[in-house]
Amino acid sequence: MRKLSADDRSILSTRTKLVLGGRTPEEQFGFVNTPIYRGSTVLAPDVATLQDRNARFTYGTKGTPTTEALELAWSELAGAAGTVLAPSGLAAITLALLSCVKAGDHILVTDSAYRPTRNFCNGMLAKLGVETTYYDPQIGSDIGRLMRPNTTAVLTEAPGSQSFEMQDIPAIAEVAHAAGALVLMDNTWATPIFFPPHERGVDLAIEAGTKYLGGHSDLLLGLVSATERALPALRQTADLFAMCPGAEDVYLALRGLRTMELRLKEAERQGLALASWLEQRPEVHQVLHPALESCPGHHLWIRDFRGSSGLFSVVLKPVTQAAVAALLDSLALFGLGYSWGGYESLVIPFDCAPYRSATAWNPPGPTLRFQVGLEGIDDLKADLEQGFAKMRRVAGGE
Ligand SMILES: *Cc1c(COP(=O)(O)O)cnc(C)c1O
């Protein structure tokens, strides 16, 4: 087989990158997939090699052929200078944040961030002497007003966790960079396939591989891809913490990577089909799905994104909590569970109000988040149809 040069590879389509990424069959006796390397100790051939620690592999926490394969494939997909793996999506967020702060620094975090990100800022970064200011996700270039001389990082997430606000990432990045700060983005929803983070100004892009990369609700993994500028500090932080993921999970992620675009495209199709159906339901006040024209932030999605995934939220018309519980408890195909990005459908009730600090979250009715899986769309609609009937009965006091 002919080997492609780096230049040849850089112009390949996403689909081809997903197939080729990180694979080195010639180093694996011709086997297509890099296998699971389990290992702590790596033997050195001689004292000089042992002591200068410059070998490709030196110790299990510092990487194996399996982790290297995923890092290389992800960097190629994301258009990054390098990628660091972490044992969970949240661990990836904490590593990325810690790589750009020291005591006395200040960071800006979107009010729509994944809640455990807030908990880390409030509970750990505060203790380390790093101050967090939360900002309106829709702030755009007005973020400049919140920048201080000691602001070193701006964390973005689009769409917002559960609430689905979009953010003008390029505008925020331009202002942040002019002030010398790095831009972080939790890109789990779109993945680099639907939002190329580094092309849009993001320095550190976080992905919970637990979601669409794994795709089967059977692994935990995080990835941080970085630009040339942000990579050295990220690598150093990852090295100091040695928060390495398990070999088996990394292997499963590599396996998931090969079909990720196909699954994501199908999630997009399924998600849009259900979101459009829900938008027509009399029980629904609004569907929060950036690919729908009726969704605030739709113009940013059109401008900056290449697709939408299968996760969105719904604001119901005012109805009692008991009626919502009757709906959720009656569903047979939508599991009640956290996380998302797997092959199966899920739904959760949520409420952002208690922890928002820069913006108010007060929709007119109860809110639900849907993860649409790969089931037949008519089966999903029928399941919801009977659920809404139960909800109406409880709401009507029957
Ligand atoms: C799930 C999720 C994470 C965290 O991933 P874990 O692997 O569960 O720690 C981070 N960000 C977003 C937006 C998520 O949905």
Side-chain angles (χ1 to χ4, degrees):
M1 273 180 91
R2 181 169 62 93
K3 209 168 162 56
L4 293 169
S5 69
D7 278 352
D8 291 338
R9 288 182 78 113
S10 68
I11 57 161
L12 294 173
S13 68
T14 297
R15 291 183 72 144
T16 310
K17 282 180 184 161
L18 289 172
V19 168
L20 294 182
R23 282 173 45 211
T24 50
E26 66 282 5
E27 293 178 11
Q28 311 301 339
F29 306 99
F31 283 91
V32 169
N33 295 302
T34 304
I36 299 175
Y37 279 81
R38 293 188 167 280
S40 50
T41 301
V42 179
L43 299 178
D46 49 52
V47 179
T49 313
L50 182 80
Q51 287 178 340
D52 76 23
R53 294 175 184 273
N54 278 329
R56 183 162 160 206
F57 302 107
T58 54
Y59 190 63
T61 57
K62 295 185 186 295
T64 68
T66 319
T67 61
E68 187 190 70
L70 181 58
E71 288 172 4
L72 288 173
W74 195 259
S75 296
E76 197 168 22
L77 175 68
T83 295
V84 155
L85 305 181
S88 70
L90 183 56
I93 294 166
T94 65
L95 277 182
L97 280 168
L98 284 167
S99 76
C100 37
V101 293
K102 61 179 187 312
D105 283 348
H106 169 249
I107 63 168
L108 293 167
V109 172
T110 177
D111 211 24
S112 56
Y114 179 59
R115 191 176 184 181
T117 301
R118 295 180 81 100
N119 295 344
F120 180 75
C121 295
N122 300 343
M124 181 57 67
L125 291 187
K127 223 164 57 174
L128 299 177
V130 177
E131 192 187 343
T132 302
T133 301
Y134 294 95
Y135 67 87
D136 181 340
Q138 281 143 18
I139 198 165
S141 51
D142 280 349
I143 191 104
R145 283 201 247 120
L146 300 176
M147 304 284 307
R148 303 179 193 168
N150 62 339
T151 306
T152 56
V154 179
L155 188 138
T156 62
E157 182 171 337
S161 248
Q162 303 184 328
S163 49
F164 284 86
E165 296 96 335
M166 293 300 283
Q167 292 201 264
D168 191 339
I169 306 284
I172 290 173
E174 195 181 328
V175 173
H177 290 158
L182 291 172
V183 176
L184 289 72
M185 179 186 187
D186 187 330
N187 193 29
T188 301
W189 184 81
T191 85
I193 293 177
F194 286 160
F195 184 88
H198 306 299
E199 269 177 43
R200 305 271 189 271
V202 175
D203 300 285
L204 291 154
I206 297 135
E207 183 76 19
T210 308
K211 312 290 167 56
Y212 284 115
L213 177 55
H216 294 72
S217 305
D218 57 359
L219 71 91
L220 290 160
L221 192 82
L223 307 95
V224 188
S225 59
T227 54
E228 213 66 75
R229 176 180 168 209
L231 187 61
L234 175 69
R235 283 248 161 88
Q236 190 196 24
T237 308
D239 228 34
L240 291 171
F241 276 94
M243 266 203 275
C244 46
E248 194 124 1
D249 287 346
V250 175
Y251 181 83
L252 286 172
L254 266 171
R255 197 179 210 273
L257 184 77
R258 309 303 174 196
T259 56
M260 188 164 130
E261 201 209 33
L262 295 178
R263 291 183 288 100
L264 208 54
K265 287 249 160 87
E266 187 57 18
E268 171 172 52
R269 219 172 57 85
Q270 294 267 99
L272 278 169
L274 199 73
S276 316
W277 181 79
L278 282 163
E279 207 173 25
Q280 305 304 321
R281 293 289 315 184
E283 299 86 355
V284 170
H285 168 74
Q286 190 182 18
V287 177
L288 305 174
H289 186 309
L292 295 185
E293 258 173 65
S294 58
C295 189
H298 175 70
H299 64 289
L300 292 172
W301 178 80
I302 288 273
R303 192 191 69 187
D304 293 342
F305 286 64
R306 297 173 176 163
S308 59
S309 63
L311 187 82
F312 62 88
S313 289
V314 162
V315 181
L316 296 174
K317 288 183 183 157
V319 66
T320 61
Q321 290 302 328
V324 176
L327 160 68
L328 298 179
D329 286 338
S330 78
L331 297 174
L333 300 182
F334 290 84
L336 283 170
Y338 294 105
S339 202
W340 47 280
Y343 57 85
E344 82 291 11
S345 290
L346 300 168
V347 62
I348 50 164
F350 71 91
D351 182 8
C352 304
Y355 53 88
R356 287 283 175 121
S357 56
T359 50
W361 172 256
N362 51 5
T367 43
L368 303 174
R369 189 188 70 181
F370 286 92
Q371 127 82 16
V372 188
L374 302 176
E375 301 89 344
I377 197 73
D378 290 337
D379 296 335
L380 294 177
K381 290 177 188 169
D383 198 28
L384 285 170
E385 180 97 50
Q386 66 80 38
F388 280 132
K390 297 228 165 61
M391 186 177 91
R392 286 195 306 269
R393 237 172 284 144
V394 171
E398 279 175 41

